[in-house]
Amino acid sequence: MDTMLKSNPQTQQKSNHNGQETSLWSSGFGMKMEAITPFLGKYRPFMGRCCQTCTPKSWESLFHRSIMDLGFCNVILVKEENTRFRGWLVRRLCYFLWSLEQHIPPSSDASQKIIENTGVQNLLSGRVPGGAGEGQAPDLVMKEVQRILGHIQATLCPFLLSVDRSTSWALLWFLNRLFLNVQLHKGQMKMVRKAVQEGSPLVFLSTHKSLMDGFLLPFVLFSQGLGVVRVALDPRTCSPALRALLRKLGALFLPPEANLSLDSSDGILARAVVRAAVEQLLTSGQPLLIFLEEPPGYPGPRLSALGQAWLGLVVQVVQEGIIPDATLVPVAIAYELVPDVRCDMTHELAPLGLWTGALAIFRKLCNGWGCSRRVCVRVHLAQPFSLQEYTINARSCWGSRQTLEHLLQPIVLGECSAVPDTEKEQEWTPSTGLLLTLKEEDQLMVRRLSRHVLSASVASSAVMSTAIMATLLLLKHQQGVVLSQLLGEFSWLTEETLLRGFDVGFSGQLRCLAQHTLSLLRAHVVLLRVHQGDLVVVPRPGPGLTHLARLSMELLPTFLSEAVGACAVRGLLAGRVPPEGPWELQGIELLSQNELYRQILLLLHLLPQDLLLPQPCQSSYCYCQEVLDRLIQCGLLVAEETPGSRPACDTGRQHLSGKLLWKPSGDFTDSESDDFEEPGGRCFRLSQQSRCPDFFLFLCRLLSPILKAFAQAAVFLHLGQLPDSEVNYSEQLFQFLQACAQEDGIFECADPNLAISAIWTFKDLGVLQQMPSPTGPQLHLSPAFASRDNQDKLEQFIRQFICS
């Protein structure tokens, strides 16, 4: 074999490297390949319908079948037809002319309206006990209000209208050199425009994949005629100079005083000013963009505490009747390749400075990023829904919940075998001062609403080509694969994704897709040419596998139900059949429905909610049934007919109990619901089709990184140094995962986020306890897991779900 792409391309001359790469593609992709069509039948999969349980009226009113027929538009592609002018000069100045034609509504005196707000005036006059105006000079308090308001936002003046237009032109020019295209579904945009006609202000709730999101999403919405969108940004990501500039362009920043204690006078004043600013923003009808995920590169919980604080303010304004309603729009953004962000657990990332950002942009444009490694982006706008309708209907779906320690610890230690009939309570996102001012019931609603919207956003996101390619290389071909075989499996996995109702963010000739995708992954793969003229793709060991594992996580929501079910079946067979046994031997075993439910519940309780993102209105038993149905639909499980029993497909003689008539939807917690179930439940076997062993192993390996990280964290319990702070212990565990990766070659587990997730799960499980100390909170090993035997039981409990 001749290596066509060396491990270190800097050792070659650039021209020589380009020539070798051209020869590589021309020789390896000369075959005639089929085309990838990103839809099945007449309609392509349309993602993002709102919850029919929580918002049935919105589900019906803001959607129509005809919108699925509409195609996509490239937001950053501006031509002569997008302007009112024609001619050769227009074709060269279309960016600038388009930006001049964009309508920017004049800014009203928002600052004066905020100061005249009733809540702020009560504090200024000292009528609120403990307020900042009590016992202070009114002029000093007014200056403090103006200072806090200046930290939150800046009022646009007429001069800035031209600045915004020139910024739009510069941003459009930059985006065209950074991305190949930014696709937006016209039908999704039609839904949003229909929601605007309802008269309620729009609140966009988005995922957060890159620091570019804060610039790209407002531009996309602005280009579609939605006006200047106010963006709630995290002040940790920007320097003071950059924050000052972004405030003049529509950004909002939470003042640090808003997170002070509830009885602090400065905190009371700051929270009142922030709430008045949100009230003024919503009553004026301006759109608001909130990021529900933490900024990329910041280790911690997935749900953003800052995003929940802003969402809590919106909920509070609606509940108090200041505005009749607000329309929530889940947003997702998908990149083929997100710019790398280093994750350091010991130090927070330095905020992005104004000149640092300008220098980074200049370097990207100069080093050829804009020409050879441009990526595709997809923006998804899910179906809008009414906040008022959600607050009314969602409370009826709340049930009792218990901590993971009460649910799982007795089963792990072998003290009992029955799974408690209740939901898991797990909240990793800390509460901010703004959220704590709400009632406890409203705080719970905001948390569940944010999780519900984030689940909808992730489910509506399309799968990009890099995620599919990384998944195949990581889970099936770590030792390398011939390109022709890889192309066939790429087409297979694309079809499986579409069959599950998920959209993909690419189309075109298969060989062109593979060429584009592998060129984006060139830092993490090696291409070799064999003597027959074919190519071999080999993932680079070490950090390359870790990067591929992060990319493959984008595909996990598509197969999550089947992956959970496959790992549950693996856990059920662990004590019966040796893992290395043949597939035919495993297919002999009968799997009862009750046993499958139990194993699925155990795995659901073990996996963090930040990974599963279950909808709060869906019970665990409903999810178990969905997992079982998916395993049957994909052909892995086959119903077993016992002699003398009625066939499973025979529903003619089934008796429907009268108690079933009044059962609420999703209520499977009452023991009387077993009256309409068959005695003993149904039984299943693993299918003996030829494709099932490989597909079963593929599904199990989707969850292998997090399960193996949890198992290695259980091994590390007797090796780590405790007591220690959570940050230091996370660093210890991460170093241990890296050492295991070098020894065992399991580099996909060497991720700092997996280390933090394992520690937080063990805290919820009662394995680790956090105790106060003079130097700060310290992690201790709980008495229940102080013995080596119980630590081994925890490791065995986790490893039963891992398929080697």
Side-chain angles (χ1 to χ4, degrees):
M1 298 182 183
D2 300 327
T3 303
M4 300 305 299
L5 289 183
K6 301 296 183 182
S7 300
N8 186 9
Q10 294 178 354
T11 59
Q12 302 177 347
Q13 294 294 331
K14 187 173 181 181
S15 59
N16 185 30
H17 174 76
N18 292 337
Q20 287 183 341
E21 188 172 355
T22 303
S23 175
L24 170 72
W25 295 120
S26 61
S27 61
F29 290 91
M31 64 199 79
K32 182 179 180 181
M33 301 302 298
E34 63 185 62
I36 289 290
T37 306
F39 54 84
L40 295 176
K42 185 176 180 179
Y43 300 105
R44 66 184 298 133
F46 187 85
M47 303 297 300
R49 297 296 302 273
C50 63
C51 181
Q52 195 172 10
T53 302
C54 300
T55 53
K57 294 182 180 179
S58 300
W59 190 85
E60 294 179 357
S61 61
L62 297 178
F63 179 80
H64 193 271
R65 281 304 272 193
S66 62
I67 68 174
M68 295 191 298
D69 297 336
L70 302 177
F72 288 85
C73 65
N74 185 7
V75 178
I76 62 175
L77 180 61
V78 176
K79 299 181 179 179
E80 179 184 2
E81 292 77 11
N82 299 110
T83 67
R84 293 180 299 138
F85 309 98
R86 297 294 182 268
W88 65 271
L89 184 59
V90 175
R91 288 191 290 271
R92 288 156 178 79
L93 300 177
C94 55
Y95 287 2
F96 181 73
L97 295 175
W98 174 86
S99 63
L100 291 179
E101 292 181 346
Q102 300 306 306
H103 173 67
I104 301 178
S107 177
S108 58
D109 192 5
S111 300
Q112 186 62 31
K113 293 181 180 179
I114 294 173
I115 295 176
E116 294 174 356
N117 182 272
T118 304
V120 177
Q121 287 297 318
N122 290 337
L123 288 173
L124 290 175
S125 60
R127 290 193 292 268
V128 177
E134 193 174 28
Q136 299 184 21
D139 294 340
L140 296 178
V141 180
M142 178 61 71
K143 290 182 179 180
E144 182 67 14
V145 170
Q146 293 175 347
R147 185 192 67 81
I148 295 174
L149 186 57
H151 188 98
I152 300 172
Q153 65 180 16
T155 303
L156 296 177
C157 61
F159 171 74
L160 291 178
L161 297 180
S162 59
V163 175
D164 276 348
R165 291 192 177 95
S166 61
T167 303
S168 300
W169 171 81
L171 186 59
L172 181 62
W173 179 87
F174 170 69
L175 293 177
N176 273 276
R177 278 146 185 82
L178 190 62
F179 303 121
L180 280 175
N181 53 62
V182 179
Q183 297 290 336
L184 177 66
H185 197 283
K186 297 178 182 178
Q188 295 175 350
M189 198 62 230
K190 185 176 181 179
M191 285 193 305
V192 175
R193 291 196 179 100
K194 188 176 181 180
V196 172
Q197 298 174 0
E198 301 289 333
S200 300
L202 295 179
V203 180
F204 297 93
L205 304 173
S206 175
T207 59
H208 206 359
K209 301 299 182 183
S210 169
L211 295 179
M212 280 292 301
D213 298 347
F215 303 94
L216 181 59
L217 289 178
F219 174 80
V220 169
L221 299 174
F222 172 75
S223 66
Q224 299 303 307
L226 295 180
V228 179
V229 180
R230 292 302 184 108
V231 189
L233 295 178
D234 194 331
R236 297 177 298 172
T237 61
C238 307
S239 66
L242 184 58
R243 286 200 299 266
L245 174 63
L246 295 178
R247 274 193 291 265
K248 298 181 181 298
L249 299 177
L252 302 173
F253 294 95
L254 196 67
E257 296 86 356
N259 291 321
L260 296 177
S261 60
L262 298 182
D263 56 353
S264 170
S265 59
D266 293 337
I268 293 174
L269 180 61
R271 287 187 287 270
V273 176
V274 172
R275 179 181 167 176
V278 174
E279 288 182 12
Q280 190 277 331
L281 180 68
L282 296 178
T283 53
S284 64
Q286 296 184 66
L288 175 63
L289 173 61
I290 300 173
F291 291 105
L292 291 181
E293 286 184 313
E294 284 289 344
Y298 285 84
R302 185 172 186 175
L303 280 169
S304 170
L306 186 64
Q308 288 187 353
W310 287 105
L311 181 58
L313 290 171
V314 176
V315 171
Q316 191 176 15
V317 170
V318 172
Q319 283 189 334
E320 295 185 1
I322 299 175
I323 58 174
D325 197 3
T327 302
L328 305 184
V329 185
V331 182
I333 185 167
Y335 296 88
E336 279 187 325
L337 198 63
V338 180
D340 292 333
V341 179
R342 293 189 177 273
C343 185
D344 189 358
M345 295 190 303
T346 57
H347 302 89
E348 288 191 358
L349 294 179
L352 180 64
L354 183 60
W355 298 112
T356 305
L359 183 61
I361 293 174
F362 178 76
R363 287 176 177 174
K364 284 185 180 295
L365 296 178
C366 290
N367 64 7
W369 171 277
C371 298
S372 61
R373 297 190 64 189
R374 290 191 297 171
V375 300
C376 301
V377 185
R378 187 81 162 266
V379 178
H380 312 267
L381 303 176
Q383 184 178 2
F385 64 92
S386 166
L387 176 59
Q388 187 70 260
E389 183 185 9
Y390 179 86
T391 56
I392 295 174
N393 297 330
R395 299 180 191 272
S396 61
C397 301
W398 296 355
S400 60
R401 294 175 179 263
Q402 289 186 358
T403 62
L404 188 61
E405 182 177 357
H406 291 88
L407 289 175
L408 215 54
Q409 188 183 102
I411 300 176
V412 172
L413 299 179
E415 299 174 357
C416 71
S417 58
V419 183
D421 187 12
T422 184
E423 303 296 321
K424 178 178 68 172
E425 180 63 37
Q426 187 178 64
E427 187 58 53
W428 289 353
T429 304
S431 298
T432 60
L434 281 171
L435 196 61
L436 291 175
T437 57
L438 302 178
K439 299 177 182 178
E440 186 174 352
E441 184 181 7
D442 294 337
Q443 294 180 32
L444 182 60
M445 187 189 66
V446 171
R447 293 193 186 100
R448 295 188 176 180
L449 173 60
S450 59
R451 192 173 296 277
H452 203 304
V453 175
L454 183 58
S455 176
S457 299
V458 172
S460 65
S461 180
V463 179
M464 308 304 285
S465 60
T466 49
I468 293 181
M469 187 68 73
T471 303
L472 292 173
L473 293 175
L474 177 72
L475 303 185
K476 302 191 69 173
H477 305 294
Q478 287 196 21
Q479 305 302 322
V481 59
V482 179
L483 182 61
S484 58
Q485 179 183 353
L486 182 62
L487 293 178
E489 293 184 352
F490 186 93
S491 179
W492 161 78
L493 193 53
T494 301
E495 183 179 355
E496 291 290 337
T497 302
L498 295 171
L499 285 173
R500 283 157 179 79
F502 283 79
D503 201 2
V504 293
F506 53 89
S507 62
Q509 291 292 327
L510 185 57
R511 63 182 181 89
C512 297
L513 286 172
Q515 177 180 358
H516 172 70
T517 305
L518 290 176
S519 66
L520 293 177
L521 300 177
R522 69 177 66 181
H524 313 291
V525 298
V526 178
L527 299 183
L528 307 172
R529 185 169 57 188
V530 295
H531 295 295
Q532 291 79 8
D534 205 348
L535 295 178
V536 176
V537 183
V538 183
R540 298 182 188 271
L545 291 178
T546 305
H547 185 83
L548 293 179
R550 292 173 183 170
L551 287 175
S552 67
M553 291 299 291
E554 301 296 328
L555 189 67
L556 182 59
T558 307
F559 297 91
L560 183 58
S561 298
E562 290 98 324
V564 170
C567 291
V569 172
R570 176 63 260 167
L572 194 57
L573 295 174
R576 305 181 186 180
V577 182
E580 63 276 4
W583 181 259
E584 293 78 9
L585 184 61
Q586 300 184 27
I588 298 175
E589 296 293 327
L590 275 178
L591 310 174
S592 70
Q593 179 173 318
N594 294 334
E595 290 176 332
L596 287 171
Y597 276 175
R598 181 181 180 275
Q599 287 297 118
I600 294 172
L601 274 177
L602 292 178
L603 185 55
L604 288 178
H605 291 332
L606 176 65
L607 294 175
Q609 288 191 346
D610 279 5
L611 174 71
L612 296 173
L613 288 179
Q615 293 186 352
C617 59
Q618 184 183 35
S619 67
S620 296
Y621 285 93
C622 286
Y623 194 88
C624 288
Q625 186 59 50
E626 178 185 342
V627 169
L628 190 58
D629 291 342
R630 289 291 186 91
L631 291 179
I632 297 173
Q633 291 172 4
C634 69
L636 285 179
L637 286 185
V638 179
E640 178 70 14
E641 306 291 351
T642 58
S645 65
R646 183 172 68 249
C649 59
D650 184 9
T651 60
R653 294 181 294 169
Q654 291 185 7
H655 174 68
L656 295 180
S657 171
K659 300 173 183 178
L660 180 62
L661 300 179
W662 57 265
K663 288 283 180 185
S665 176
D667 183 10
F668 297 95
T669 60
D670 194 342
S671 60
E672 294 178 350
S673 62
D674 295 332
D675 293 343
F676 53 88
E677 291 288 342
E678 292 186 8
R682 294 182 294 169
C683 292
F684 302 90
R685 293 185 191 273
L686 287 174
S687 175
Q688 296 301 309
Q689 298 180 16
S690 59
R691 70 175 186 88
C692 288
D694 290 339
F695 189 51
F696 181 83
L697 187 61
F698 169 79
L699 294 175
C700 289
R701 287 179 174 174
L702 283 173
L703 292 175
S704 289
I706 187 169
L707 291 175
K708 288 180 180 179
F710 281 14
Q712 291 175 351
V715 175
F716 186 67
L717 290 175
H718 69 277
L719 300 176
Q721 298 179 0
L722 288 175
D724 201 352
S725 65
E726 183 177 310
V727 174
N728 292 339
Y729 189 71
S730 300
E731 180 65 24
Q732 290 184 46
L733 179 57
F734 178 52
Q735 293 177 358
F736 177 74
L737 294 178
Q738 288 180 316
C740 293
Q742 294 291 339
E743 182 178 352
D744 303 332
I746 311 177
F747 291 94
E748 59 266 28
C749 301
D751 193 319
N753 289 323
L754 293 181
I756 294 175
S757 181
I759 291 175
W760 286 356
T761 301
F762 284 5
K763 286 170 60 179
D764 294 341
L765 188 55
V767 180
L768 299 174
Q769 294 179 345
Q770 198 164 19
M771 302 289 187
S773 71
T775 58
Q778 297 283 310
L779 285 180
H780 296 256
L781 195 61
S782 67
F785 289 89
S787 65
R788 184 67 180 272
D789 291 340
N790 287 346
Q791 295 176 12
D792 292 339
K793 290 179 180 178
L794 175 62
E795 182 187 356
Q796 293 173 4
F797 175 81
I798 299 172
R799 289 195 181 278
Q800 68 175 328
F801 301 108
I802 301 176
C803 190
S804 59

